[in-house]
């Protein structure tokens, strides 16, 4: 459910990600209007969904890892008696879920960024034929580590996000239900 919700919402918002990615990757100062016009003139409406496939996959994978791993880690931690069901268990489980999410979603995040940066015929970007071409040629030309560019900042963001989200979520559930379980 988390994967479907995340994938659906990111599909709708993909055009904003295309514009943001090109603005951030530009060596010069590009405006939102300038990037939007360039993408529209070069590729039309479909240009705003450049990179949508890996973007949806990244969001689906990330959300599924976060939600699925969190539940599994929390169950394991508490069932083995390492800690009781409470903030410490929630902190540990959510931190682990964030790391797993980063490990599995970083490669598709990098591919998404490469494809979005190329939208509208961006002359500063490497042009790929699509998702598969990018997944094959990036490691071939730049090494396998190229699929993990930006891993550490992404991992820090995902761990921080999952810890805050699940700690707040569990506390809210405790208030509503009267207990964690």
């Amino acid at each position: 459910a988390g994967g479907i919700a995340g994938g659906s919402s990111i599909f709708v918002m993909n055009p904003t990600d295309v514009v943001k990615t090109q603005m951030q990757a530009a060596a010069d100062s590009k405006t939102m209007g300038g990037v939007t016009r360039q993408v529209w003139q070069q590729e039309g409406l479909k240009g705003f969904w450049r990179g949508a496939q890996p973007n949806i996959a990244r969001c689906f994978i990330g959300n599924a890892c976060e939600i699925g791993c969190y539940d599994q880690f929390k169950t394991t931690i508490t069932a083995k008696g390492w800690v009781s069901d409470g903030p410490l268990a929630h902190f540990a489980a959510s931190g682990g879920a964030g790391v797993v999410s980063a490990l599995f979603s970083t490669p598709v995040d990098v591919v998404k960024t490469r494809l979005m940066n190329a939208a509208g015929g961006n002359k500063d970007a490497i042009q790929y034929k699509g998702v598969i071409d990018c997944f094959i040629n990036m490691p071939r030309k730049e090494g396998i580590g190229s699929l993990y560019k930006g891993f550490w900042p992404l991992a820090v963001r995902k761990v921080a996000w999952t810890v805050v989200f699940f700690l707040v979520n569990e506390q809210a559930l405790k208030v509503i239900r009267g207990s964690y379980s």
Side-chain angles (χ1 to χ4, degrees):
I4 292 170
S8 301
S9 64
I10 206 66
F11 176 77
V12 171
M13 298 310 297
N14 202 77
T16 61
D17 217 357
V18 168
V19 173
K20 172 203 66 116
T21 299
Q22 287 204 16
M23 290 175 72
Q24 289 176 335
D28 57 348
S29 181
K30 289 188 175 185
T31 65
M32 189 167 72
V35 171
T36 302
R37 276 189 296 283
Q38 179 186 345
V39 172
W40 179 261
Q41 289 170 351
Q42 295 295 317
E43 296 185 66
L45 192 59
K46 76 175 190 165
F48 292 102
W49 273 271
R50 178 79 79 106
Q53 290 173 319
N55 203 12
I56 293 165
R58 174 196 59 86
C59 198
F60 185 93
I61 291 166
N63 286 4
C65 285
E66 289 165 9
I67 292 168
C69 289
Y70 173 77
D71 285 339
Q72 183 60 50
F73 291 161
K74 184 177 92 166
T75 299
T76 301
I77 289 167
T78 56
K80 293 196 179 271
W82 295 338
V83 293
S84 60
D85 192 2
L88 185 58
H90 307 153
F91 181 85
S94 59
V99 170
V100 171
S101 178
L103 283 170
F104 284 94
S105 67
T106 298
V108 288
D109 192 45
V110 172
V111 169
K112 168 207 74 118
T113 300
R114 292 287 179 101
L115 293 175
M116 286 182 171
N117 195 34
N122 184 358
K123 290 167 185 36
D124 296 330
I126 299 170
Q127 298 293 317
Y128 296 98
K129 295 175 188 159
V131 175
I132 303 298
D133 182 52
C134 192
F135 261 118
I136 291 170
N137 285 307
M138 272 185 64
R140 187 178 288 164
K141 293 176 183 173
E142 302 172 47
I144 196 73
S146 66
L147 292 172
Y148 281 90
K149 285 184 174 184
F151 171 78
W152 289 111
L154 181 67
V156 168
R157 185 187 85 201
K158 284 192 167 282
V159 168
W161 152 250
T162 55
V163 167
V164 170
F165 175 80
F166 285 111
L167 283 173
V168 169
N169 184 61
E170 291 283 4
Q171 293 304 309
L173 289 175
K174 182 181 179 190
V175 168
I176 294 167
R177 295 180 185 156
S179 69
Y180 289 117
S181 299

